[in-house]
Amino acid sequence: MQKQSSDDYKRLEKAFAEADAAFRNDFAVIYGNEQQRAKVHFDRFKQIWKGWDKPGQCMYRGCPNPTIRRSHSIQKSAHLEYLAEDQHVLTPQLNSRSQLEMKRIGVNLASTFPGFCEDHERIFSEFEVAGAISSPRHFGLQAFRTLCREIFRKRLEISGQESAIDQYRKTRSNYFVSTVKGVMPDATVRTLEI
């Protein structure tokens, strides 16, 4: 390995200071351009939305069984079909510009999440078949199902945020490393703490 001169260190120090100043002025500078930043942002939301279709473990306490793909959190036979036009309802979804817009989806997909296994999905059938919530037990079951959907949503968001933070930290480190490499391509960066 060849010995670095004080001029090399001064160049590196200056480049790093300039990169740091640019970063402090605009944290999005690490992405290179607005298109790359928007892509990272949109990809994160797509990943979160994909979680809605991924079966996991049943949310009923103590149940180790896998979930069905689509548990309804709102009663399909009474409420969703009442709201539907031609067996479709509107739901918010991200478009290609990372903006929410209302999209038509079938009632079989509306208000669903992978929450319960086949056996525990059946506990809601006593009021779904009748098409009405008519007893305190039914109200309790519906509240339980709604709460489980909210817990599932929150877990998915937390996981997505943790992944986004990890990705951001990697992108930020890569920005600073590439700045050093831009000034001195042969430099080796072993660790970088920000």
Side-chain angles (χ1 to χ4, degrees):
M1 182 169 153
Q2 100 190 75
K3 188 172 178 172
Q4 304 297 316
S5 70
S6 64
D7 286 343
D8 289 339
Y9 288 118
K10 286 178 185 174
R11 284 184 22 238
L12 284 173
E13 185 177 32
K14 181 179 180 210
F16 194 85
E18 288 173 3
D20 188 47
F23 174 72
R24 290 176 189 276
N25 185 48
D26 178 10
F27 295 139
V29 73
I30 65 172
Y31 297 106
N33 61 46
E34 179 58 25
Q35 185 179 6
Q36 288 173 330
R37 188 207 60 79
K39 181 184 181 322
V40 168
H41 182 69
F42 184 64
D43 287 348
R44 181 174 64 91
F45 280 110
K46 279 195 329 191
Q47 195 62 34
I48 290 172
W49 284 103
K50 281 182 183 177
W52 284 102
D53 287 333
K54 192 186 286 184
Q57 183 178 336
C58 181
M59 294 186 77
Y60 197 88
R61 179 176 276 167
C63 181
N65 295 327
T67 63
I68 61 172
R69 285 186 65 192
R70 294 188 174 92
S71 295
H72 280 275
S73 58
I74 297 175
Q75 191 178 346
K76 177 183 162 190
S77 61
H79 305 293
L80 286 176
E81 289 180 350
Y82 176 75
L83 296 171
E85 286 183 10
D86 200 21
Q87 290 294 302
H88 285 80
V89 293
L90 295 176
T91 190
Q93 288 187 355
L94 288 174
N95 64 22
S96 61
R97 297 178 310 280
S98 297
Q99 298 170 333
L100 280 178
E101 63 183 26
M102 300 304 282
K103 297 270 187 166
R104 282 175 47 97
I105 62 167
V107 292
N108 288 334
L109 299 176
S111 176
T112 61
F113 72 110
F116 302 102
C117 67
E118 276 188 53
D119 290 339
H120 289 115
E121 180 69 16
R122 286 191 203 106
I123 65 174
F124 308 108
S125 66
E126 63 185 74
F127 62 87
E128 285 186 338
V129 170
I133 296 175
S134 58
S135 73
R137 176 174 163 73
H138 295 167
F139 281 103
L141 286 170
Q142 180 58 41
F144 170 67
R145 179 164 67 173
T146 302
L147 183 60
C148 285
R149 183 180 190 273
E150 193 61 18
I151 289 168
F152 177 83
R153 186 180 71 78
K154 291 291 186 191
R155 286 177 180 165
L156 204 57
E157 285 181 8
I158 289 169
S159 174
Q161 289 296 333
E162 288 171 344
S163 176
I165 289 168
D166 188 47
Q167 180 62 42
Y168 176 81
R169 287 179 176 148
K170 288 176 184 171
T171 303
R172 182 183 61 191
S173 291
N174 290 340
Y175 164 75
F176 284 103
V177 169
S178 67
T179 299
V180 168
K181 293 281 197 182
V183 172
M184 192 173 292
D186 294 341
T188 300
V189 180
R190 290 196 177 96
T191 61
L192 177 64
E193 284 188 36
I194 301 172

